[in-house]
Amino acid sequence: MIGEGTQRVINAIVSALEDKKAIDVKVIDLEGRTSLADAFILATGNSDVHMSTLVRVADETLTKEGITPRIEGEYSTQWALIDGGDVIVHIFGVKAREFYSLERIWKAVEAERQG
């Protein structure tokens, strides 16, 4: 189960992304499944400008929560990753979200673990 502090951060990021009209915001609970993070947050932007706004708001929200995020990739590449330690935010363009399909990959990992 995700800790209370991490859940607060997740809720703040999801709310901020939804306020900026992110498309299809999803949270993948990774606790106990990987040492990468406790959760991934996935969101889609419908243009480079929209993606840039989503990256900025995720960065600002993590900073307000006392986390110094690291940003990898750029909105112009159709996939940006904001590493907030226990919470990693993925901002995709529409085509990249469909192509990489992280939800599908993590569902397959979970199904394999359950066996």
Side-chain angles (χ1 to χ4, degrees), residues 39-96:
F40 280 169
I41 299 173
L42 311 176
T44 303
N46 58 18
S47 69
D48 287 351
V49 172
H50 190 208
M51 287 182 64
S52 176
T53 299
L54 298 176
V55 168
R56 181 181 46 77
V57 77
D59 178 33
E60 289 171 355
T61 302
L62 284 163
T63 300
K64 284 179 189 173
E65 291 292 329
I67 298 167
T68 303
R70 195 174 89 214
I71 300 172
E72 299 289 335
E74 298 178 24
Y75 55 88
S76 61
T77 64
Q78 292 292 298
W79 185 1
L81 181 147
I82 302 96
D83 185 348
D86 291 337
V87 178
I88 297 176
V89 183
H90 298 270
I91 306 295
F92 291 99
V94 174
K95 289 181 182 179

Side-chain angles (χ1 to χ4, degrees), residues 22-28 41-45 78-79 90-103:
I23 301 164
D24 196 22
V25 179
K26 298 273 195 244
V27 176
I28 300 176
I41 299 173
L42 311 176
T44 303
Q78 292 292 298
W79 185 1
H90 298 270
I91 306 295
F92 291 99
V94 174
K95 289 181 182 179
R97 176 86 178 256
E98 291 172 7
F99 180 80
Y100 291 105
S101 188
L102 292 185
E103 298 100 324

Side-chain angles (χ1 to χ4, degrees), residues 11-26:
N11 293 344
I13 294 168
V14 168
S15 178
L17 292 172
E18 288 175 344
D19 285 349
K20 295 297 181 185
K21 308 298 185 209
I23 301 164
D24 196 22
V25 179
K26 298 273 195 244

